Amino acid sequence: MNKKYRKTIIAGNWKMNLLPSEVKPFADELRALLPKTKSCEVALLVPFTHISTLRRSLKDNRISYGAQDVSVHDKGAFTGEVSAEMLADLNAHYVTVGHSECRQYHGDNDFIVGQKALAVLEKGMSPIICVGESLEQRDRSLTMEYISYQVLAALSFIPEGKERQIVIAYEPIWAIGTGKTATPQEAQDVCEGIRSVIREKRGARVARSVSILYGGSMNPKNAKELLSMPDIDGGLIGGASLKPQDFAQIISAVTEVTGEE
Ligand code: PGA
């Protein structure tokens, strides 16, 4: 399967870390460290409170930005929520939906995740749809069955012709923030499986154009091997995206894999 049909994306998921006042120094440092690359899109997914500052601090379009969640509603009496239109108004590019922490702590189910993905798409942004199995599911050999179900559920909300705008992130729950990474082959197998599900539902042309990221303790040491796999088109990076140096090294791993450096 040829990677030239899809984008490689390295996206940092800051979760609930760093302060708004730390955004500009971070952005300045990262911009200075960023390798020149045409083969990789870099994105930072930050708390809502940080987006405006990040937007101003990035200055040019070498780094994209976005949010970690969104409301399913357009507007109105939804105290505490943030709409897709508000994020689009800040020129956000990406919004993660269905991160396992949102599924676990906010009760986001596949129906809500699909609605959120659609809300993001309708405002011209790209949803990064997160899927992943628990350790128990993996131990019981239910991984691919469960992931296929999550992907099919999300796809059912994506209008035909809009698939190229979505990104899927495979994040095994047992690998998130634990220091335990899936082996490159384990991650590849699931990412390949996800692409097959897309192929069955929407055809080969669509399947080869959707970027599928791996997330779960990706770091400067293991990034190159993971990113070399044929169906892994980038990373969704939590802990290692909080230090500009580590994050930049992961981006450099892409340039090593593509032979750009
Ligand atoms: P981690 O987080 O890199 O800290 O494991 C990944 C994620 O949850 O997106």
Side-chain angles (χ1 to χ4, degrees), residues 53-115:
T53 313
L54 181 61
R55 178 188 186 188
R56 276 196 304 278
S57 309
L58 291 175
K59 297 191 178 97
D60 52 34
N61 53 15
R62 288 172 71 206
I63 301 174
S64 306
Y65 57 89
Q68 302 164 11
D69 198 9
V70 68
S71 176
V72 294
H73 305 289
D74 283 344
K75 60 163 71 172
F78 300 101
T79 302
E81 299 202 26
V82 171
S83 73
E85 192 174 11
M86 292 172 185
L87 297 171
D89 195 53
L90 292 173
N91 280 332
H93 309 96
Y94 292 104
V95 182
T96 49
V97 296
H99 190 281
S100 63
E101 285 147 19
C102 298
R103 292 182 191 256
Q104 184 182 352
Y105 303 129
H106 306 164
D108 284 10
N109 56 31
D110 286 319
F111 181 71
I112 293 172
V113 172
Q115 282 183 305

Short mmCIF file of all heavy atoms in Angstrom, two decimals, residues 53-115:
data_model
loop_
_atom_site.label_atom_id
_atom_site.label_comp_id
_atom_site.label_asym_id
_atom_site.label_seq_id
_atom_site.Cartn_x
_atom_site.Cartn_y
_atom_site.Cartn_z
N THR A 53 -3.94 31.88 21.65
CA THR A 53 -2.52 32.23 21.84
C THR A 53 -1.65 31.41 20.90
O THR A 53 -0.70 31.93 20.31
CB THR A 53 -2.08 31.95 23.30
OG1 THR A 53 -3.06 32.48 24.17
CG2 THR A 53 -0.74 32.54 23.61
N LEU A 54 -1.99 30.13 20.78
CA LEU A 54 -1.18 29.27 19.90
C LEU A 54 -1.27 29.78 18.46
O LEU A 54 -0.26 29.88 17.76
CB LEU A 54 -1.68 27.82 19.99
CG LEU A 54 -0.93 26.80 19.15
CD1 LEU A 54 0.54 26.72 19.57
CD2 LEU A 54 -1.56 25.41 19.27
N ARG A 55 -2.47 30.12 18.05
CA ARG A 55 -2.67 30.62 16.69
C ARG A 55 -1.78 31.84 16.42
O ARG A 55 -1.11 31.91 15.40
CB ARG A 55 -4.14 31.00 16.54
CG ARG A 55 -4.48 31.56 15.21
CD ARG A 55 -5.90 32.09 15.25
NE ARG A 55 -6.32 32.52 13.94
CZ ARG A 55 -7.45 33.15 13.71
NH1 ARG A 55 -8.27 33.43 14.70
NH2 ARG A 55 -7.77 33.52 12.49
N ARG A 56 -1.75 32.76 17.38
CA ARG A 56 -0.92 33.97 17.20
C ARG A 56 0.56 33.62 17.24
O ARG A 56 1.37 34.20 16.52
CB ARG A 56 -1.20 34.97 18.33
CG ARG A 56 -2.39 35.86 18.09
CD ARG A 56 -2.37 37.06 19.05
NE ARG A 56 -2.31 36.67 20.46
CZ ARG A 56 -3.36 36.30 21.19
NH1 ARG A 56 -4.56 36.29 20.65
NH2 ARG A 56 -3.23 35.95 22.46
N SER A 57 0.92 32.63 18.06
CA SER A 57 2.35 32.33 18.25
C SER A 57 2.96 31.56 17.09
O SER A 57 4.17 31.55 16.91
CB SER A 57 2.55 31.47 19.52
OG SER A 57 1.92 32.05 20.61
N LEU A 58 2.12 30.88 16.31
CA LEU A 58 2.68 30.02 15.25
C LEU A 58 3.12 30.82 14.03
O LEU A 58 3.94 30.35 13.24
CB LEU A 58 1.66 28.94 14.85
CG LEU A 58 1.43 27.90 15.95
CD1 LEU A 58 0.33 26.93 15.57
CD2 LEU A 58 2.72 27.15 16.27
N LYS A 59 2.54 31.99 13.86
CA LYS A 59 2.98 32.99 12.85
C LYS A 59 2.84 32.54 11.39
O LYS A 59 2.42 33.30 10.55
CB LYS A 59 4.43 33.43 13.10
CG LYS A 59 4.59 34.13 14.43
CD LYS A 59 5.95 34.78 14.56
CE LYS A 59 6.07 35.52 15.87
NZ LYS A 59 6.72 34.81 16.94
N ASP A 60 3.26 31.33 11.05
CA ASP A 60 3.11 30.89 9.66
C ASP A 60 2.35 29.56 9.68
O ASP A 60 1.89 29.13 10.72
CB ASP A 60 4.48 30.74 8.97
CG ASP A 60 5.40 29.87 9.80
OD1 ASP A 60 4.92 28.93 10.46
OD2 ASP A 60 6.63 30.12 9.80
N ASN A 61 2.24 28.92 8.55
CA ASN A 61 1.41 27.71 8.55
C ASN A 61 2.21 26.41 8.58
O ASN A 61 1.76 25.38 8.11
CB ASN A 61 0.41 27.72 7.38
CG ASN A 61 1.14 27.95 6.08
OD1 ASN A 61 2.38 27.83 6.04
ND2 ASN A 61 0.43 28.29 5.03
N ARG A 62 3.41 26.46 9.16
CA ARG A 62 4.20 25.22 9.26
C ARG A 62 3.61 24.26 10.29
O ARG A 62 3.84 23.07 10.23
CB ARG A 62 5.66 25.55 9.65
CG ARG A 62 6.44 26.20 8.50
CD ARG A 62 7.77 26.68 8.99
NE ARG A 62 8.68 25.58 9.29
CZ ARG A 62 9.68 25.66 10.17
NH1 ARG A 62 9.88 26.76 10.85
NH2 ARG A 62 10.48 24.63 10.36
N ILE A 63 2.89 24.80 11.24
CA ILE A 63 2.29 23.95 12.27
C ILE A 63 0.77 24.20 12.29
O ILE A 63 0.33 25.35 12.34
CB ILE A 63 2.88 24.25 13.66
CG1 ILE A 63 4.40 24.03 13.64
CG2 ILE A 63 2.22 23.39 14.74
CD1 ILE A 63 5.13 24.43 14.89
N SER A 64 0.01 23.14 12.20
CA SER A 64 -1.45 23.25 12.31
C SER A 64 -1.83 23.13 13.77
O SER A 64 -1.03 22.72 14.61
CB SER A 64 -2.13 22.12 11.53
OG SER A 64 -1.69 22.09 10.21
N TYR A 65 -3.06 23.46 14.07
CA TYR A 65 -3.48 23.37 15.47
C TYR A 65 -4.95 22.99 15.54
O TYR A 65 -5.67 23.03 14.54
CB TYR A 65 -3.20 24.68 16.21
CG TYR A 65 -3.88 25.87 15.57
CD1 TYR A 65 -5.17 26.22 15.92
CD2 TYR A 65 -3.25 26.59 14.57
CE1 TYR A 65 -5.81 27.29 15.32
CE2 TYR A 65 -3.87 27.66 13.95
CZ TYR A 65 -5.15 28.00 14.33
OH TYR A 65 -5.78 29.05 13.72
N GLY A 66 -5.34 22.63 16.74
CA GLY A 66 -6.73 22.25 16.91
C GLY A 66 -7.05 21.91 18.35
O GLY A 66 -6.27 22.22 19.26
N ALA A 67 -8.20 21.25 18.53
CA ALA A 67 -8.73 21.00 19.87
C ALA A 67 -8.81 19.51 20.13
O ALA A 67 -8.58 18.68 19.24
CB ALA A 67 -10.10 21.65 19.99
N GLN A 68 -9.16 19.19 21.38
CA GLN A 68 -9.17 17.78 21.81
C GLN A 68 -10.57 17.21 21.95
O GLN A 68 -10.74 16.03 22.25
CB GLN A 68 -8.45 17.67 23.16
CG GLN A 68 -7.03 18.19 23.12
CD GLN A 68 -6.49 18.43 24.52
OE1 GLN A 68 -7.08 18.03 25.52
NE2 GLN A 68 -5.35 19.09 24.60
N ASP A 69 -11.57 18.07 21.76
CA ASP A 69 -12.95 17.61 21.89
C ASP A 69 -13.85 18.72 21.34
O ASP A 69 -13.38 19.83 21.05
CB ASP A 69 -13.29 17.34 23.38
CG ASP A 69 -14.53 16.48 23.55
OD1 ASP A 69 -15.05 15.94 22.55
OD2 ASP A 69 -14.99 16.34 24.70
N VAL A 70 -15.13 18.42 21.20
CA VAL A 70 -16.06 19.40 20.64
C VAL A 70 -17.47 18.99 21.07
O VAL A 70 -17.71 17.82 21.37
CB VAL A 70 -15.92 19.41 19.10
CG1 VAL A 70 -16.41 18.10 18.47
CG2 VAL A 70 -16.64 20.60 18.47
N SER A 71 -18.37 19.95 21.05
CA SER A 71 -19.77 19.63 21.37
C SER A 71 -20.45 18.98 20.16
O SER A 71 -20.07 19.24 19.02
CB SER A 71 -20.50 20.93 21.72
OG SER A 71 -21.87 20.68 21.94
N VAL A 72 -21.46 18.19 20.41
CA VAL A 72 -22.26 17.67 19.28
C VAL A 72 -23.27 18.72 18.82
O VAL A 72 -23.85 18.60 17.75
CB VAL A 72 -23.04 16.37 19.62
CG1 VAL A 72 -22.10 15.22 19.90
CG2 VAL A 72 -23.99 16.57 20.80
N HIS A 73 -23.47 19.75 19.65
CA HIS A 73 -24.50 20.75 19.35
C HIS A 73 -23.92 21.93 18.58
O HIS A 73 -22.76 22.27 18.74
CB HIS A 73 -25.13 21.26 20.65
CG HIS A 73 -25.68 20.15 21.50
ND1 HIS A 73 -26.81 19.46 21.16
CD2 HIS A 73 -25.24 19.61 22.66
CE1 HIS A 73 -27.05 18.53 22.07
NE2 HIS A 73 -26.11 18.59 22.98
N ASP A 74 -24.78 22.60 17.82
CA ASP A 74 -24.33 23.76 17.03
C ASP A 74 -24.15 25.00 17.90
O ASP A 74 -23.17 25.71 17.80
CB ASP A 74 -25.37 24.09 15.96
CG ASP A 74 -25.29 23.12 14.80
OD1 ASP A 74 -24.26 22.42 14.71
OD2 ASP A 74 -26.24 23.06 14.01
N LYS A 75 -25.16 25.29 18.71
CA LYS A 75 -25.11 26.47 19.58
C LYS A 75 -26.25 26.40 20.59
O LYS A 75 -27.13 25.54 20.47
CB LYS A 75 -25.21 27.76 18.78
CG LYS A 75 -26.51 27.87 17.96
CD LYS A 75 -26.75 29.29 17.53
CE LYS A 75 -25.78 29.73 16.46
NZ LYS A 75 -26.11 31.04 15.90
N GLY A 76 -26.23 27.31 21.56
CA GLY A 76 -27.38 27.40 22.46
C GLY A 76 -27.06 27.09 23.91
O GLY A 76 -25.92 27.26 24.36
N ALA A 77 -28.06 26.61 24.62
CA ALA A 77 -27.96 26.45 26.08
C ALA A 77 -27.23 25.16 26.44
O ALA A 77 -27.84 24.16 26.84
CB ALA A 77 -29.37 26.46 26.67
N PHE A 78 -25.93 25.17 26.24
CA PHE A 78 -25.11 24.00 26.57
C PHE A 78 -23.90 24.48 27.37
O PHE A 78 -22.78 24.58 26.85
CB PHE A 78 -24.68 23.26 25.29
CG PHE A 78 -25.87 22.77 24.50
CD1 PHE A 78 -26.31 23.47 23.39
CD2 PHE A 78 -26.55 21.64 24.90
CE1 PHE A 78 -27.43 23.05 22.68
CE2 PHE A 78 -27.67 21.21 24.20
CZ PHE A 78 -28.11 21.91 23.10
N THR A 79 -24.18 24.81 28.61
CA THR A 79 -23.15 25.41 29.47
C THR A 79 -21.88 24.57 29.50
O THR A 79 -21.94 23.36 29.67
CB THR A 79 -23.71 25.55 30.91
OG1 THR A 79 -24.88 26.35 30.84
CG2 THR A 79 -22.70 26.20 31.84
N GLY A 80 -20.77 25.24 29.28
CA GLY A 80 -19.47 24.57 29.37
C GLY A 80 -19.01 23.95 28.07
O GLY A 80 -17.88 23.47 27.99
N GLU A 81 -19.85 23.96 27.03
CA GLU A 81 -19.45 23.28 25.80
C GLU A 81 -18.88 24.25 24.76
O GLU A 81 -19.10 25.47 24.84
CB GLU A 81 -20.65 22.52 25.22
CG GLU A 81 -21.15 21.46 26.18
CD GLU A 81 -21.95 20.37 25.50
OE1 GLU A 81 -21.76 20.12 24.31
OE2 GLU A 81 -22.77 19.76 26.21
N VAL A 82 -18.16 23.72 23.82
CA VAL A 82 -17.52 24.51 22.76
C VAL A 82 -17.92 23.89 21.42
O VAL A 82 -17.76 22.68 21.21
CB VAL A 82 -15.98 24.49 22.95
CG1 VAL A 82 -15.27 25.10 21.75
CG2 VAL A 82 -15.58 25.23 24.22
N SER A 83 -18.44 24.72 20.52
CA SER A 83 -18.96 24.18 19.25
C SER A 83 -17.89 24.09 18.17
O SER A 83 -16.86 24.78 18.23
CB SER A 83 -20.11 25.05 18.75
OG SER A 83 -19.59 26.28 18.25
N ALA A 84 -18.20 23.29 17.17
CA ALA A 84 -17.29 23.17 16.02
C ALA A 84 -17.16 24.52 15.31
O ALA A 84 -16.07 24.89 14.84
CB ALA A 84 -17.82 22.11 15.06
N GLU A 85 -18.26 25.27 15.26
CA GLU A 85 -18.19 26.57 14.59
C GLU A 85 -17.23 27.52 15.30
O GLU A 85 -16.51 28.30 14.66
CB GLU A 85 -19.60 27.17 14.51
CG GLU A 85 -19.67 28.36 13.58
CD GLU A 85 -21.09 28.87 13.39
OE1 GLU A 85 -22.00 28.45 14.13
OE2 GLU A 85 -21.27 29.69 12.48
N MET A 86 -17.22 27.45 16.64
CA MET A 86 -16.29 28.31 17.40
C MET A 86 -14.84 27.96 17.06
O MET A 86 -13.99 28.83 16.91
CB MET A 86 -16.50 28.13 18.90
CG MET A 86 -17.83 28.66 19.38
SD MET A 86 -18.09 28.18 21.12
CE MET A 86 -19.74 28.81 21.36
N LEU A 87 -14.58 26.66 16.93
CA LEU A 87 -13.20 26.22 16.61
C LEU A 87 -12.85 26.59 15.18
O LEU A 87 -11.73 27.04 14.89
CB LEU A 87 -13.08 24.71 16.83
CG LEU A 87 -13.30 24.26 18.28
CD1 LEU A 87 -13.37 22.74 18.37
CD2 LEU A 87 -12.19 24.79 19.18
N ALA A 88 -13.80 26.45 14.27
CA ALA A 88 -13.55 26.80 12.87
C ALA A 88 -13.29 28.30 12.75
O ALA A 88 -12.47 28.75 11.95
CB ALA A 88 -14.74 26.40 12.01
N ASP A 89 -13.97 29.08 13.61
CA ASP A 89 -13.79 30.53 13.58
C ASP A 89 -12.37 30.93 14.00
O ASP A 89 -11.88 32.00 13.67
CB ASP A 89 -14.83 31.18 14.50
CG ASP A 89 -14.96 32.67 14.28
OD1 ASP A 89 -15.18 33.08 13.12
OD2 ASP A 89 -14.82 33.43 15.26
N LEU A 90 -11.71 30.04 14.76
CA LEU A 90 -10.31 30.26 15.15
C LEU A 90 -9.35 29.61 14.15
O LEU A 90 -8.16 29.48 14.42
CB LEU A 90 -10.06 29.69 16.54
CG LEU A 90 -10.75 30.39 17.71
CD1 LEU A 90 -10.55 29.60 19.00
CD2 LEU A 90 -10.21 31.81 17.88
N ASN A 91 -9.92 29.16 13.02
CA ASN A 91 -9.12 28.49 11.98
C ASN A 91 -8.46 27.19 12.44
O ASN A 91 -7.38 26.85 11.95
CB ASN A 91 -8.03 29.42 11.43
CG ASN A 91 -8.59 30.39 10.42
OD1 ASN A 91 -9.59 30.07 9.76
ND2 ASN A 91 -7.98 31.55 10.31
N ALA A 92 -9.08 26.51 13.38
CA ALA A 92 -8.53 25.21 13.80
C ALA A 92 -8.59 24.25 12.62
O ALA A 92 -9.48 24.35 11.76
CB ALA A 92 -9.33 24.67 14.97
N HIS A 93 -7.63 23.34 12.57
CA HIS A 93 -7.61 22.37 11.46
C HIS A 93 -8.12 21.01 11.89
O HIS A 93 -8.75 20.31 11.12
CB HIS A 93 -6.17 22.19 10.94
CG HIS A 93 -5.48 23.47 10.64
ND1 HIS A 93 -4.64 24.09 11.54
CD2 HIS A 93 -5.53 24.26 9.55
CE1 HIS A 93 -4.19 25.21 11.01
NE2 HIS A 93 -4.70 25.34 9.81
N TYR A 94 -7.76 20.61 13.10
CA TYR A 94 -8.06 19.25 13.57
C TYR A 94 -8.77 19.28 14.91
O TYR A 94 -8.51 20.16 15.74
CB TYR A 94 -6.75 18.46 13.77
CG TYR A 94 -6.00 18.15 12.51
CD1 TYR A 94 -4.85 18.86 12.17
CD2 TYR A 94 -6.44 17.15 11.66
CE1 TYR A 94 -4.15 18.57 11.00
CE2 TYR A 94 -5.75 16.85 10.49
CZ TYR A 94 -4.61 17.56 10.17
OH TYR A 94 -3.93 17.26 9.02
N VAL A 95 -9.62 18.28 15.13
CA VAL A 95 -10.22 18.08 16.45
C VAL A 95 -10.24 16.58 16.73
O VAL A 95 -10.76 15.80 15.92
CB VAL A 95 -11.67 18.62 16.51
CG1 VAL A 95 -12.24 18.43 17.92
CG2 VAL A 95 -11.75 20.08 16.08
N THR A 96 -9.64 16.17 17.83
CA THR A 96 -9.76 14.74 18.18
C THR A 96 -11.16 14.48 18.71
O THR A 96 -11.73 15.29 19.46
CB THR A 96 -8.74 14.30 19.25
OG1 THR A 96 -8.78 15.23 20.33
CG2 THR A 96 -7.35 14.22 18.72
N VAL A 97 -11.72 13.36 18.30
CA VAL A 97 -13.01 12.93 18.85
C VAL A 97 -12.87 11.47 19.28
O VAL A 97 -12.15 10.69 18.66
CB VAL A 97 -14.17 13.09 17.83
CG1 VAL A 97 -14.40 14.55 17.47
CG2 VAL A 97 -13.94 12.27 16.57
N GLY A 98 -13.54 11.15 20.39
CA GLY A 98 -13.53 9.76 20.85
C GLY A 98 -12.21 9.32 21.47
O GLY A 98 -11.93 8.11 21.50
N HIS A 99 -11.41 10.27 21.94
CA HIS A 99 -10.21 9.84 22.66
C HIS A 99 -10.65 8.93 23.81
O HIS A 99 -11.70 9.17 24.43
CB HIS A 99 -9.43 11.05 23.19
CG HIS A 99 -8.09 10.66 23.73
ND1 HIS A 99 -7.94 10.09 24.98
CD2 HIS A 99 -6.86 10.71 23.19
CE1 HIS A 99 -6.66 9.81 25.18
NE2 HIS A 99 -5.98 10.18 24.10
N SER A 100 -9.85 7.92 24.13
CA SER A 100 -10.30 6.96 25.15
C SER A 100 -10.57 7.65 26.49
O SER A 100 -11.42 7.20 27.26
CB SER A 100 -9.28 5.83 25.31
OG SER A 100 -8.06 6.35 25.76
N GLU A 101 -9.86 8.77 26.76
CA GLU A 101 -10.13 9.46 28.02
C GLU A 101 -11.51 10.13 27.99
O GLU A 101 -12.19 10.20 29.01
CB GLU A 101 -9.00 10.47 28.30
CG GLU A 101 -7.74 9.74 28.76
CD GLU A 101 -6.42 10.38 28.36
OE1 GLU A 101 -6.39 11.58 28.02
OE2 GLU A 101 -5.40 9.65 28.36
N CYS A 102 -11.93 10.61 26.81
CA CYS A 102 -13.29 11.20 26.69
C CYS A 102 -14.34 10.09 26.73
O CYS A 102 -15.42 10.27 27.28
CB CYS A 102 -13.42 11.99 25.40
SG CYS A 102 -12.31 13.38 25.30
N ARG A 103 -13.99 8.94 26.15
CA ARG A 103 -14.94 7.81 26.22
C ARG A 103 -15.10 7.38 27.68
O ARG A 103 -16.18 7.09 28.14
CB ARG A 103 -14.45 6.65 25.35
CG ARG A 103 -14.46 6.94 23.84
CD ARG A 103 -14.01 5.71 23.04
NE ARG A 103 -13.74 5.97 21.64
CZ ARG A 103 -14.56 5.61 20.63
NH1 ARG A 103 -15.70 5.02 20.88
NH2 ARG A 103 -14.21 5.85 19.38
N GLN A 104 -13.98 7.36 28.39
CA GLN A 104 -14.00 6.87 29.77
C GLN A 104 -14.58 7.89 30.76
O GLN A 104 -15.43 7.55 31.58
CB GLN A 104 -12.58 6.50 30.20
CG GLN A 104 -12.51 5.89 31.58
CD GLN A 104 -11.07 5.57 32.01
OE1 GLN A 104 -10.12 5.67 31.22
NE2 GLN A 104 -10.91 5.20 33.25
N TYR A 105 -14.13 9.15 30.67
CA TYR A 105 -14.52 10.11 31.71
C TYR A 105 -15.76 10.91 31.36
O TYR A 105 -16.42 11.46 32.24
CB TYR A 105 -13.37 11.09 32.01
CG TYR A 105 -12.08 10.40 32.42
CD1 TYR A 105 -10.88 10.71 31.80
CD2 TYR A 105 -12.08 9.44 33.44
CE1 TYR A 105 -9.71 10.08 32.16
CE2 TYR A 105 -10.91 8.81 33.81
CZ TYR A 105 -9.71 9.13 33.17
OH TYR A 105 -8.56 8.50 33.53
N HIS A 106 -16.06 11.07 30.06
CA HIS A 106 -17.22 11.89 29.68
C HIS A 106 -18.36 11.03 29.13
O HIS A 106 -19.35 11.57 28.67
CB HIS A 106 -16.85 12.94 28.62
CG HIS A 106 -15.70 13.81 28.98
ND1 HIS A 106 -15.01 14.58 28.06
CD2 HIS A 106 -15.10 14.05 30.18
CE1 HIS A 106 -14.04 15.23 28.66
NE2 HIS A 106 -14.07 14.93 29.94
N GLY A 107 -18.15 9.74 29.09
CA GLY A 107 -19.23 8.88 28.60
C GLY A 107 -19.46 8.96 27.10
O GLY A 107 -20.55 8.63 26.62
N ASP A 108 -18.48 9.42 26.34
CA ASP A 108 -18.66 9.47 24.88
C ASP A 108 -18.76 8.03 24.34
O ASP A 108 -17.83 7.24 24.50
CB ASP A 108 -17.47 10.19 24.21
CG ASP A 108 -17.55 11.69 24.38
OD1 ASP A 108 -18.41 12.16 25.17
OD2 ASP A 108 -16.77 12.40 23.72
N ASN A 109 -19.88 7.73 23.70
CA ASN A 109 -20.01 6.40 23.08
C ASN A 109 -19.87 6.55 21.56
O ASN A 109 -19.66 7.65 21.04
CB ASN A 109 -21.35 5.76 23.45
CG ASN A 109 -22.52 6.65 23.08
OD1 ASN A 109 -22.44 7.40 22.11
ND2 ASN A 109 -23.59 6.59 23.84
N ASP A 110 -19.97 5.44 20.84
CA ASP A 110 -19.74 5.50 19.39
C ASP A 110 -20.72 6.44 18.68
O ASP A 110 -20.37 7.05 17.68
CB ASP A 110 -19.80 4.10 18.79
CG ASP A 110 -18.57 3.29 19.14
OD1 ASP A 110 -17.46 3.85 19.12
OD2 ASP A 110 -18.70 2.10 19.47
N PHE A 111 -21.93 6.54 19.19
CA PHE A 111 -22.92 7.42 18.59
C PHE A 111 -22.50 8.89 18.76
O PHE A 111 -22.48 9.67 17.81
CB PHE A 111 -24.29 7.16 19.23
CG PHE A 111 -25.39 7.99 18.66
CD1 PHE A 111 -25.86 7.76 17.37
CD2 PHE A 111 -25.96 9.01 19.41
CE1 PHE A 111 -26.87 8.54 16.84
CE2 PHE A 111 -26.98 9.80 18.88
CZ PHE A 111 -27.42 9.56 17.59
N ILE A 112 -22.09 9.23 19.97
CA ILE A 112 -21.65 10.61 20.24
C ILE A 112 -20.38 10.92 19.44
O ILE A 112 -20.25 11.99 18.85
CB ILE A 112 -21.42 10.81 21.76
CG1 ILE A 112 -22.76 10.72 22.49
CG2 ILE A 112 -20.72 12.13 22.06
CD1 ILE A 112 -22.66 10.70 24.00
N VAL A 113 -19.47 9.96 19.40
CA VAL A 113 -18.21 10.17 18.67
C VAL A 113 -18.51 10.43 17.18
O VAL A 113 -17.95 11.34 16.57
CB VAL A 113 -17.28 8.94 18.84
CG1 VAL A 113 -16.05 9.04 17.94
CG2 VAL A 113 -16.86 8.81 20.31
N GLY A 114 -19.44 9.66 16.61
CA GLY A 114 -19.81 9.85 15.21
C GLY A 114 -20.43 11.23 14.99
O GLY A 114 -20.09 11.93 14.02
N GLN A 115 -21.28 11.64 15.90
CA GLN A 115 -21.90 12.97 15.78
C GLN A 115 -20.85 14.08 15.86
O GLN A 115 -20.92 15.07 15.14
CB GLN A 115 -22.91 13.17 16.91
CG GLN A 115 -24.23 12.46 16.71
CD GLN A 115 -25.17 12.79 17.86
OE1 GLN A 115 -24.84 12.60 19.03
NE2 GLN A 115 -26.33 13.29 17.53
#
